[in-house]
Amino acid sequence: MNEINRIDKDITISAKKLKEEVKNLDFEEICEFNLNKEHIPEIPWGTLKYPGIYLIEIKNDGNSNSFKAWVDNFKSKWENEKYLRCFTPNLKKKRIAEHSVLADWIPIYIGKSKQIEGRVHEHIFKELHKTTFALKLNARDNMEKERFRLKTIKCDVENYNMIVPAIEAQLRDKINPLNGKQ
């Protein structure tokens, strides 16, 4: 067995351990916020200066009697012609199909960043015409009455590029956020 094969075997063992450990991870709720064209939402910006994984959820407004009805309404807003082809994530039918219960909070996006604060800021405030891929929530007039929640998992690790994408992928498969690039 050459050295590459030994490293591969070690990584396989570590990947199994990581998969088990991810089952024990919990997001920390950071805040809830509304969008506002007049001022920055009530997000504790200075406290998000760390690497990790973030989850953005949307509050069920209580106007739908089933998840299907709720998601149909959300889809009509999200896929409005005004917001298509603006470097924003698409709804994922496969992930939507994984939801059947109309929960109080519905996951719309999960992501990773070495600087959560900056990335979340882009998801909220990036302008539609900018080519950076983001939710661009504040630029969506039809989302201004919605309530959102931000959760994070701090992942300050030396091997970020190997570990955090693996954690993010496992959490994405578990949580099934409605939107995504992957």
Side-chain angles (χ1 to χ4, degrees), residues 4-123:
I4 297 292
N5 292 109
R6 278 193 278 284
I7 292 169
D8 184 51
K9 186 176 180 181
D10 291 344
I11 289 172
T12 299
I13 291 166
S14 293
K16 287 178 184 175
K17 288 179 184 177
L18 183 61
K19 190 171 188 172
E20 284 304 309
E21 189 57 34
V22 168
K23 292 177 184 177
N24 300 320
L25 289 178
D26 288 318
F27 280 94
E28 176 187 353
E29 184 174 329
I30 302 301
C31 65
E32 294 180 18
F33 63 94
N34 290 88
L35 301 174
N36 192 318
K37 304 272 189 240
E38 310 300 317
H39 67 276
I40 295 175
E42 59 276 10
I43 294 173
W45 293 110
T47 66
L48 299 173
K49 296 184 183 298
Y50 52 85
I53 298 168
Y54 57 90
L55 173 64
I56 299 174
E57 299 172 301
I58 189 168
K59 177 86 169 141
N60 169 4
D61 60 12
N63 292 330
S64 301
N65 58 4
S66 69
F67 178 76
K68 183 181 180 337
W70 182 91
V71 82
D72 286 347
N73 182 49
F74 180 77
K75 184 177 182 178
S76 70
K77 290 179 185 178
W78 194 261
E79 294 181 344
N80 181 297
E81 184 64 33
K82 181 177 178 181
Y83 309 114
L84 293 177
R85 293 172 298 286
C86 292
F87 298 93
T88 59
N90 297 319
L91 290 171
K92 300 294 182 187
K93 290 178 186 176
K94 179 182 170 188
R95 290 202 219 128
I96 289 171
E98 293 296 320
H99 295 273
S100 58
V101 176
L102 184 59
D104 287 339
W105 289 96
I106 295 134
I108 61 169
Y109 195 83
I110 190 168
K112 66 183 178 330
S113 179
K114 290 182 179 177
Q115 175 51 271
I116 287 180
E117 180 181 65
R119 189 64 180 124
V120 168
H121 193 274
E122 289 176 334
H123 281 299

